[in-house]
Structure formats: C-alpha cells, structure tokens
Amino acid sequence: MSIQDVDDKDGEAFVEMDPTGRYGRYKDLLGAGAMKKVYRAFDLEDGIEVAWNRVKLRNFATAPEKLKHLYSEVDILESLHHPHVLSLHTKWVSSDGATYNFITEICPSGDLRGYRRKHKHVSLKAIRMWAYQILLGLDYLHTHEPCVIHRDLKCSNIFIKGNTGQIMIGDLGLAAIVDHSHVAHSCLGTPEYMAPELFEEDYNELVDIYSFGLCVLELLTVETPYRECTGVAQVYKRVITGVRPEALSRVQEPDVKRFIERCLGQPRDRPSAAELLCDPFFQELNGCNCLVMQPVGPAREDQRQPVDAAA
C-alpha cells in the first residue's frame, strides 16, 4: 500500500499500512540512523503499539555488506524468542522495492545509554537489576542452538521499557551465528567495547561478556569507556595491552569493581553469562523476579547509594 493518510478511527491518521493491513505507521519518528528510521506504529489485531523499522534500500547501493548485515539482523531476530531480546513480528519489502520494513517490539524509553544519562540519580540496585537482565538475554543468545554472538553489545544497543524497567538486547546487525565450536573470526564491533581477542579475529561468545563489563562500567559512571583516548588507534593500543579505561578507577565499591574486572579478564578466566548470574554482585536483589521486571521506585535519600561519578 502506498503512503497515504489512513484514518485509524481514533483521532490520528496512519501514513502507511503494511501489505496485510494489520500494522499502521504514524508520522512519529522514534529514532533514526544513517540507514534506518524507526517510527511509532500500531498493531490493529492485538491492539498494541509497535516499532516500524523502515530502511531505504537505495542507501545500500554502494554498501552491499551493510545490507547483508541488515538482513542478517532481521533473520536472527526472527528465530529468537526471549523476554530480554527484542522480538520481531513481521518483515517485508515494499511493492516498489524501495524500502525494507520490519516490525519489532517497541521500547518507548529508548536505549539504555540515553535513559541512564537522563536519569543520573538511580540506585546501585537498579543498575544491578539492569545488568542481571542483560545477562539473562546474553545467556539465552549464547546457549541458543546455534549459538549467537552479539559482537556489538553496548548501552546504545540495549533498550528499556521505562515504566517496567524491562531490558531488551537489540541491534543484532553484527551478530554471528556459530557452530558447535563457538568460534568466530571476523573483526567487527565498536572499538571501545571490543575484547582484545576480537581484534585478533579468533574468539567465542565470551567477547560479549567483556563488552557487558564495559556496559556496567558505563551505567555506573555515565561515560563512554576510553573517552580519554583521542582516536581509534589509541583505543586499540590500550585494549590489546590490557590498559583499563580511566573510568574504572572512579568506581569506589570493591565488589562492583571486582565484578567488572571479572568480566574484563583473559578469555580463559572470563566467566560465562550463566556463571555471572550467580555472582555475589547480584546478592542484593534477594531473589526478585528479574524476568518480568516491576517498576523501580525512587530510593529514599537516606538509602540511595551514590553510583554516578559524573553527577
């Protein structure tokens, strides 16, 4: 169906419908990147809001590898079903071949990086709950058959439903599906979050654990790891020689620092997601149900733990 105003009988108008007429896209733009735009949409059958991801295929005319990564992300999403991994509802190419569209769950509060920077005074318990859910998602990916290695885990690729605190891992465009050896060889990702062995192009799913440790560090300090570096080459040199981000020195709580260091250890010593879920770092959660998160209420001033070095 071509773009047009379609009355949704609810006071607003859709500007586009999917070929089946089930999903209607509003004008509201939720996010935009170099290749993809995400709009607020509505599922008429289930009566829920969703995210309409719209990609102009002409943008990939000179970048076939990026188009391959996009199709890979959607194909991977289609096979995954977990509360902490963004789910895919449907996908299609427009009738004129101009756009590639796919419908996913909606996270109205955006990515975790932006959410954390907006809310600078959260308790350490809240950060532990976010971290716990990320690990649940990683454990699912890493134990999936076949194993899925994200390879680009960072706070801007992790999303949150702010009203419930539910965390979901997304942006699987650089993910790799590996066989029973669990070994991959391509050097892909964001340098500040890449494990040393990823640069050497011989690694397994534990590279995601390294990136996860840096995500926890970012949630604590509200700053991007290695922001003291002036370029990618400097980041690379520090990572492969084992120099930690300066932000780690500003983490005061010994158990928190120990947990992050455990994630950043050598591959042979680095724990799996399942092992980290049993770490004493999460003891404070006291068996709370982190699969279906409850809203995180504001801590009383006398109980709030200072975790924001930048605030």
Side-chain angles (χ1 to χ4, degrees), residues 80-182:
L80 302 176
H81 306 282
H82 189 269
H84 300 300
V85 177
L86 204 66
S87 67
L88 175 79
H89 295 302
T90 190
K91 62 182 180 180
W92 72 95
V93 176
S94 63
S95 58
D96 59 4
T99 63
Y100 184 57
N101 304 267
F102 54 102
I103 303 292
T104 63
E105 285 185 89
I106 192 169
C107 292
S109 300
D111 65 71
L112 198 52
R113 172 176 292 169
Y115 191 78
R116 179 68 177 96
R117 291 180 179 180
K118 179 181 178 181
H119 303 285
K120 292 189 174 181
H121 300 284
V122 297
S123 70
L124 180 55
K125 182 179 180 181
I127 292 175
R128 292 185 206 266
M129 287 194 291
W130 294 341
Y132 192 84
Q133 293 178 80
I134 298 169
L135 283 175
L136 288 171
L138 285 180
D139 182 53
Y140 171 76
L141 294 176
H142 294 169
T143 58
H144 186 266
E145 290 293 342
C147 171
V148 178
I149 308 175
H150 192 287
R151 298 197 294 187
D152 197 25
L153 191 73
K154 54 189 176 182
C155 289
S156 57
N157 285 344
I158 301 168
F159 301 91
I160 183 168
K161 293 183 177 179
N163 63 323
T164 63
Q166 184 181 358
I167 296 291
M168 286 184 285
I169 297 172
D171 282 352
L172 289 155
L174 296 184
I177 293 179
V178 294
D179 58 23
H180 294 295
S181 69
H182 285 216

Side-chain angles (χ1 to χ4, degrees), residues 7-18:
D7 186 8
D8 70 352
K9 300 181 178 63
D10 213 10
E12 289 188 80
F14 299 131
V15 295
E16 189 173 3
M17 300 291 294
D18 80 301

